[in-house]
Amino acid sequence: MKPSVKRYTIKDIAEQAGVSLSTVSLVMNNNPRISEATRQRVLETIERLGYQPNRLARSLAWRRSQTIAVLLPQLRHTFADVYFGEIISGIHDRATKLGYKVMLEVARAEFIESREYIQLYEQKVVDGMLFIGSNARHEFIREFAGSEYPFVLVNNYSREFDLNYVVSNYRYGAWQAANHLVRLGHRRIGFIAGGLNDIQTSRDIFDSFQQVLQEHNITLEPSQVVDGWLTEEGGRQATEQLLRAHGDLTAIFALNDKMALGALRKLNELGLRCPDDIALVGFDDIPAASFATPALTTVRQPLYDIGKLACEHLIELIHGRASRVQEVVPVQLIVRESCGATKKSVVTTPVG
Amino acid sequence: MKPSVKRYTIKDIAEQAGVSLSTVSLVMNNNPRISEATRQRVLETIERLGYQPNRLARSLAWRRSQTIAVLLPQLRHTFADVYFGEIISGIHDRATKLGYKVMLEVARAEFIESREYIQLYEQKVVDGMLFIGSNARHEFIREFAGSEYPFVLVNNYSREFDLNYVVSNYRYGAWQAANHLVRLGHRRIGFIAGGLNDIQTSRDIFDSFQQVLQEHNITLEPSQVVDGWLTEEGGRQATEQLLRAHGDLTAIFALNDKMALGALRKLNELGLRCPDDIALVGFDDIPAASFATPALTTVRQPLYDIGKLACEHLIELIHGRASRVQEVVPVQLIVRESCGATKKSVVTTPVG
DNA sequence: CTGAAAGCGCTTACAG
DNA sequence: CTGAAAGCGCTTACAG
């Protein structure tokens, strides 16, 4: 079971197979110039000795590291949730399939100050970078606008800078959800927000919500909007604040499912029934959404696929097969019980 | 703001500074043989041109990649939680400080079948590996027992194989929590488990719990133990099952906080008050534990520190400064409200 | 104290 | 179709 101690190099293979280094290399890179006979002989030797090419040497010769970095904001509990897991999973699967390794980077203060996000490219540590969970405080990303360094924002984008991105259609998702509530007859709707000043996509959800209300001449007082933490606890507190100011609300739109679940908890604590007393709609469709009682009506984001897509596009950029990537991914309203539209779930299968 | 297009190499620095390649290299590696005068001259040139050494070339010459891998189980929603975030954060911070890069790997079926966990070392992609979230189904880790490849289990260990690890003192934590319940007079205690057959540390918590009951001649029927998913929903369902079979329970010990919070939700749904009707104890001390109503009594694990420690030890192994690492990290019972010992929190500050 | 040279393990024109 | 040679950008004995 123990791995062999002796490491083989391309030289060993060449000797054993009775060919030159070049030939071995060409075989490994599937060069069609090599005759089938020698090809087989070399492959057989590689197989027999269990030879693994040194990736460092290869990268050095290629002047490409075949590695991408996933950049995350400073990790805090607020962030370590399903969200990252799903996206990273998608990124990793696709990167692996395309022969890339995935490096992890965290946007600490020092990372930014020492401009490590540039050093990573300069030192040939990575060929490209994906940024998940960026927000307006990450000013440094401006340096990637128009830069030669492959860089893609994952499930976010910038209005200020011309950056590459792959993002959910947050606006349309929010539009669907808001319209759904309005169509059900709601006119006094509270909004539970998070990161409204920092996160572009949070802003989008809110703007879209607001727009739908306007279109239907529904008023929205400032106090009907509460900006809190993007967590269950944040949703809980926001709900309390919301209901204290507006006891007459008939529905609540939460910016994400976590907050919606917190809202649900608060409603329970207050003895209010959902959806009978207050309807509720979330965003994301995390697994817990379908397990909740009542099951949560929400907007499903294809996080895994977003990760895959972003990775794919980044690699296109690296290979110069694309120069700009700005893709918007469709989302889907999942009507369950918490909005009161139905007692049964329309879509019950929890997906990815 | 835009980075320069021209990349400098060590050769450029040598020319500009009027010295040889060797000298530049020696300066960069802080070799004391170089005179202060030339040293300064070289450093100044490096600074002026913004030179960044090519990490690949360096690694190739050193025959070390200066990179470690963090291996995660196939990412699913059950896993993407605070747990990983905290640990990875600790690993990353320490790795960075010690000049290492962190690569991400996922133990997919294919990763295991193609023995990529060995290839990573053979191809010089990584110098060492940290495995978070391993369980008994990850049979391949046996190959690292007594192997030359630096490898450390993070917050887990193996009874079967002689592997390096850094792990919380789960047994002692569970012992404290169980004793606490017993001392409060509880004799009919339910246990909500998860991964009892797969995860060694889950087993440890349970064993310790069981032992405390035995020591106090408290009976524990098999139906007082429910093994469910390690999620809030899992805890909720387990609680339902538990109370259906044992309406007379006065306390519940949950294997982790998520399940404990699910239990809390179920108790609410059933109209049972915690701690008055049923006391509750969890494990981990995730942020939500202190926010719950009632605040959750639980055992705090220093996840960030565990990540740091594991990383540190791994690098010791890589440098041959250690040959074996088996460290147990202390944990601490945090008495809050859910156990009924007090109406006020003894420790209220939520900690990282 | 400094430099020329060999080496790390690959790839890739260039010859033949 | 195959090989000798130069190159990727560093480090490190070895000489002086």
Side-chain angles (χ1 to χ4, degrees):
Chain A
M1 261 314 182
K2 276 221 208 136
S4 57
V5 173
K6 158 81 176 144
R7 304 284 146 60
Y8 295 104
T9 70
I10 197 171
K11 216 172 141 196
D12 298 310
I13 305 303
E15 278 172 15
Q16 294 273 330
V19 296
S20 72
L21 298 186
S22 328
T23 303
V24 177
S25 177
L26 293 171
V27 167
M28 286 197 307
N29 291 296
N30 294 316
N31 192 310
R33 295 192 327 221
I34 305 297
S35 75
E36 192 53 27
T38 34
R39 206 178 107 78
Q40 284 309 328
R41 192 145 39 92
V42 171
L43 285 177
E44 188 270 324
T45 312
I46 288 175
E47 176 79 9
R48 183 161 51 81
L49 300 189
Y51 165 67
Q52 304 277 357
N54 181 318
R55 219 183 145 98
L56 288 178
R58 190 174 248 192
S59 295
L60 182 59
W62 274 341
R63 277 169 291 285
R64 284 233 204 86
S65 69
Q66 300 273 102
T67 301
I68 62 173
V70 169
L71 182 60
L72 302 175
Q74 183 88 292
L75 286 169
R76 278 280 158 269
H77 10 271
T78 38
F79 270 121
D81 61 20
V82 192
Y83 187 81
F84 286 91
E86 286 290 312
I87 294 180
I88 290 179
S89 196
I91 291 173
H92 190 273
D93 285 0
R94 187 41 53 105
T96 301
K97 188 154 291 170
L98 297 175
Y100 279 74
K101 294 290 175 191
V102 178
M103 189 152 274
L104 204 66
E105 289 296 336
V106 178
R108 290 154 295 117
E110 224 251 297
F111 177 88
I112 295 166
E113 282 154 23
S114 61
R115 293 182 80 236
E116 248 204 77
Y117 49 92
I118 296 295
Q119 292 187 34
L120 288 172
Y121 294 90
E122 296 274 336
Q123 297 180 181
K124 300 291 178 215
V125 174
V126 305
D127 298 337
M129 200 147 81
L130 295 170
F131 194 177
I132 318 181
S134 59
N135 61 50
R137 278 164 298 155
H138 295 115
E139 279 254 2
F140 72 92
I141 62 175
R142 70 184 318 142
E143 289 194 50
F144 288 102
S147 108
E148 63 190 308
Y149 298 127
F151 181 86
V152 178
L153 292 179
V154 186
N155 212 17
N156 209 341
Y157 68 101
S158 168
R159 291 173 69 105
E160 271 188 276
F161 316 120
D162 184 35
L163 298 168
N164 299 305
Y165 60 80
V166 173
V167 70
S168 275
N169 197 336
Y170 279 94
R171 288 182 164 275
Y172 181 59
W175 184 90
Q176 281 183 88
N179 258 299
H180 185 68
L181 286 178
V182 169
R183 244 183 271 124
L184 290 172
H186 295 286
R187 314 223 106 221
R188 291 183 305 280
I189 310 176
F191 189 86
I192 298 181
L196 226 41
N197 296 316
D198 278 346
I199 307 173
Q200 181 56 45
T201 53
S202 289
R203 193 76 225 173
D204 284 350
I205 294 180
F206 178 62
D207 286 351
S208 213
F209 167 75
Q210 219 175 357
Q211 188 191 327
V212 169
L213 295 203
Q214 268 172 18
E215 282 169 10
H216 292 82
N217 295 315
I218 299 176
T219 54
L220 181 71
E221 294 173 34
S223 56
Q224 276 173 262
V225 179
V226 178
D227 197 48
W229 298 333
L230 287 159
T231 60
E232 192 173 338
E233 180 58 22
R236 195 166 150 268
Q237 292 180 5
T239 304
E240 176 157 24
Q241 193 179 330
L242 217 45
L243 292 177
R244 201 160 9 184
H246 297 273
D248 62 341
L249 293 182
T250 67
I252 292 177
F253 188 135
L255 192 118
N256 72 18
D257 287 351
K258 284 196 153 187
M259 298 187 92
L261 293 175
L264 202 52
R265 200 164 110 211
K266 191 58 181 180
L267 294 181
N268 276 333
E269 288 172 22
L270 296 174
L272 292 167
R273 287 161 310 160
C274 172
D276 298 337
D277 296 326
I278 294 202
L280 186 61
V281 161
F283 208 103
D284 287 352
D285 197 24
I286 64 176
S290 57
F291 287 130
T293 319
L296 201 61
T297 289
T298 186
V299 177
R300 179 181 300 162
Q301 291 200 71
L303 296 178
Y304 178 87
D305 292 332
I306 289 172
K308 260 171 67 169
L309 262 175
C311 179
E312 219 166 276
H313 286 317
L314 179 67
I315 292 173
E316 298 275 300
L317 288 172
I318 290 170
H319 291 181
R321 290 194 295 260
S323 61
R324 200 150 176 268
V325 170
Q326 307 199 326
E327 178 158 356
V328 176
V329 177
V331 297
Q332 185 193 359
L333 177 69
I334 308 290
V335 178
R336 294 203 183 91
E337 300 162 353
S338 69
C339 58
T342 164
K343 290 293 158 189
K344 303 228 173 191
S345 221
V346 170
V347 176
T348 46
T349 333
V351 171
Chain B
M1 264 311 187
K2 273 217 209 145
S4 59
V5 173
K6 159 79 174 142
R7 304 285 145 57
Y8 296 104
T9 70
I10 196 173
K11 218 173 139 194
D12 299 311
I13 305 303
E15 279 172 14
Q16 295 271 331
V19 295
S20 72
L21 298 186
S22 327
T23 302
V24 177
S25 176
L26 292 171
V27 167
M28 286 198 306
N29 291 295
N30 294 316
N31 193 309
R33 296 192 325 221
I34 305 296
S35 73
E36 192 53 27
T38 34
R39 207 178 106 79
Q40 284 308 328
R41 190 146 39 91
V42 171
L43 285 178
E44 187 270 321
T45 313
I46 288 175
E47 176 78 11
R48 182 161 51 82
L49 300 188
Y51 165 68
Q52 303 278 357
N54 181 318
R55 216 181 148 98
L56 288 178
R58 188 174 249 195
S59 294
L60 183 60
W62 274 341
R63 276 168 291 284
R64 285 234 205 85
S65 68
Q66 300 272 102
T67 301
I68 62 172
V70 168
L71 183 60
L72 301 175
Q74 182 87 292
L75 286 168
R76 278 280 157 268
H77 12 272
T78 38
F79 270 121
D81 61 22
V82 192
Y83 187 80
F84 286 90
E86 285 291 310
I87 294 179
I88 290 179
S89 197
I91 291 173
H92 190 273
D93 285 359
R94 188 42 52 105
T96 301
K97 188 155 292 172
L98 297 175
Y100 279 74
K101 293 291 174 188
V102 178
M103 187 151 276
L104 203 66
E105 290 295 336
V106 178
R108 290 156 295 118
E110 225 251 298
F111 177 87
I112 295 165
E113 282 156 22
S114 61
R115 294 182 80 237
E116 248 203 76
Y117 50 93
I118 296 295
Q119 291 186 36
L120 289 171
Y121 294 90
E122 296 273 336
Q123 297 180 181
K124 301 290 180 218
V125 175
V126 305
D127 297 337
M129 200 147 79
L130 295 170
F131 195 176
I132 318 181
S134 59
N135 62 50
R137 279 164 297 155
H138 295 115
E139 279 254 2
F140 73 92
I141 61 175
R142 69 184 318 141
E143 290 194 49
F144 288 102
S147 107
E148 63 190 306
Y149 298 126
F151 181 86
V152 178
L153 292 179
V154 186
N155 212 16
N156 209 342
Y157 68 101
S158 168
R159 292 173 67 105
E160 273 188 275
F161 315 121
D162 184 34
L163 298 169
N164 300 305
Y165 59 79
V166 173
V167 70
S168 275
N169 197 338
Y170 279 95
R171 287 181 165 276
Y172 181 58
W175 185 89
Q176 282 183 89
N179 259 300
H180 184 68
L181 286 178
V182 169
R183 245 183 271 122
L184 290 172
H186 296 286
R187 313 223 103 221
R188 292 183 304 280
I189 310 177
F191 189 87
I192 297 181
L196 226 41
N197 297 315
D198 277 347
I199 306 173
Q200 181 57 45
T201 52
S202 290
R203 192 76 225 172
D204 284 350
I205 294 180
F206 179 60
D207 287 351
S208 212
F209 167 75
Q210 220 176 356
Q211 189 191 326
V212 169
L213 296 203
Q214 269 173 18
E215 282 169 10
H216 292 83
N217 294 314
I218 299 176
T219 55
L220 181 72
E221 293 174 35
S223 56
Q224 274 173 263
V225 180
V226 177
D227 196 48
W229 299 334
L230 287 160
T231 59
E232 190 173 339
E233 180 59 22
R236 195 165 150 269
Q237 293 179 4
T239 305
E240 175 157 25
Q241 193 178 329
L242 216 47
L243 292 178
R244 201 158 14 181
H246 297 274
D248 62 342
L249 293 182
T250 66
I252 292 179
F253 187 135
L255 192 118
N256 71 19
D257 287 350
K258 283 197 154 186
M259 297 186 92
L261 293 174
L264 201 54
R265 200 163 110 211
K266 190 57 181 180
L267 294 181
N268 276 334
E269 286 172 23
L270 295 173
L272 292 168
R273 288 161 309 161
C274 174
D276 299 338
D277 298 327
I278 293 199
L280 186 61
V281 162
F283 208 101
D284 287 353
D285 196 25
I286 64 177
S290 56
F291 288 130
T293 320
L296 202 60
T297 290
T298 187
V299 177
R300 179 182 298 163
Q301 292 199 69
L303 295 178
Y304 179 87
D305 292 331
I306 289 171
K308 261 171 68 169
L309 261 175
C311 179
E312 218 166 278
H313 286 317
L314 179 68
I315 291 171
E316 298 276 298
L317 289 171
I318 290 170
H319 291 181
R321 292 196 293 261
S323 62
R324 201 150 176 268
V325 171
Q326 307 200 325
E327 176 157 359
V328 177
V329 177
V331 298
Q332 185 193 1
L333 178 69
I334 308 290
V335 177
R336 295 203 183 91
E337 301 162 353
S338 70
C339 58
T342 164
K343 290 292 158 192
K344 301 228 171 187
S345 222
V346 171
V347 176
T348 46
T349 332
V351 171

